[in-house]
Amino acid sequence: MLEALSLVLGFQLLGEALVVLLGLPLPGPVIGLVALFVAFPRLGRLRSGVESLADGLLRHLGLLFVPAGVGVMLHLALLRDWALPLVLALVGSTAVTLGLSAWLFARWRRPGAPAQPPSGGAGPP
């Protein structure tokens, strides 16, 4: 487990180093995760360790939300003062995202494509 954790943190460090050296506009952990994804099939015996580490981290993922919840409770008055702009931004960005997604889907869908899945599809009977 310690070997797997060292490997995951090493890939994060690699990602951070690449971001600093190459000036990439992405977070280092994202670059490290992509590098880990590429290297994962070649990890051999560490593969099962990384899988068990990931399962352990996912089991305790809820703990990562505790600091965010504390921050919300700490700044509740500030959130109350900015409630209208926050709600407008959330609703507006959601509407724009849904509209853009629908437009892109309609634009990229092949003309004349059937609206239902093929006969072997998992559609309703």
Side-chain angles (χ1 to χ4, degrees):
M1 186 85 141
L2 191 56
E3 254 182 336
L5 182 61
S6 298
L7 181 74
V8 169
L9 291 176
F11 272 98
Q12 181 177 355
L13 178 63
L14 173 69
E16 292 286 354
L18 288 173
V19 165
V20 170
L21 291 173
L22 301 176
L24 299 172
L26 293 170
V30 171
I31 302 290
L33 184 63
V34 169
L36 179 63
F37 178 75
V38 170
F40 196 69
R42 298 169 195 71
L43 289 179
R45 67 180 180 83
L46 288 178
R47 186 177 187 161
S48 64
V50 171
E51 288 174 350
S52 67
L53 174 69
D55 288 340
L57 288 173
L58 286 174
R59 262 185 303 210
H60 298 92
L61 189 62
L63 292 175
L64 297 176
F65 293 106
V66 171
V70 170
V72 167
M73 296 305 291
L74 185 64
H75 297 289
L76 206 51
L78 186 62
L79 289 172
R80 190 175 21 251
D81 293 343
W82 287 87
L84 182 63
L86 285 172
V87 168
L88 289 176
L90 286 171
V91 170
S93 63
T94 301
V96 168
T97 301
L98 286 173
L100 183 61
S101 298
W103 179 76
L104 286 173
F105 175 76
R107 187 159 193 271
W108 287 346
R109 193 178 74 182
R110 293 180 294 149
Q116 55 199 14
S119 60

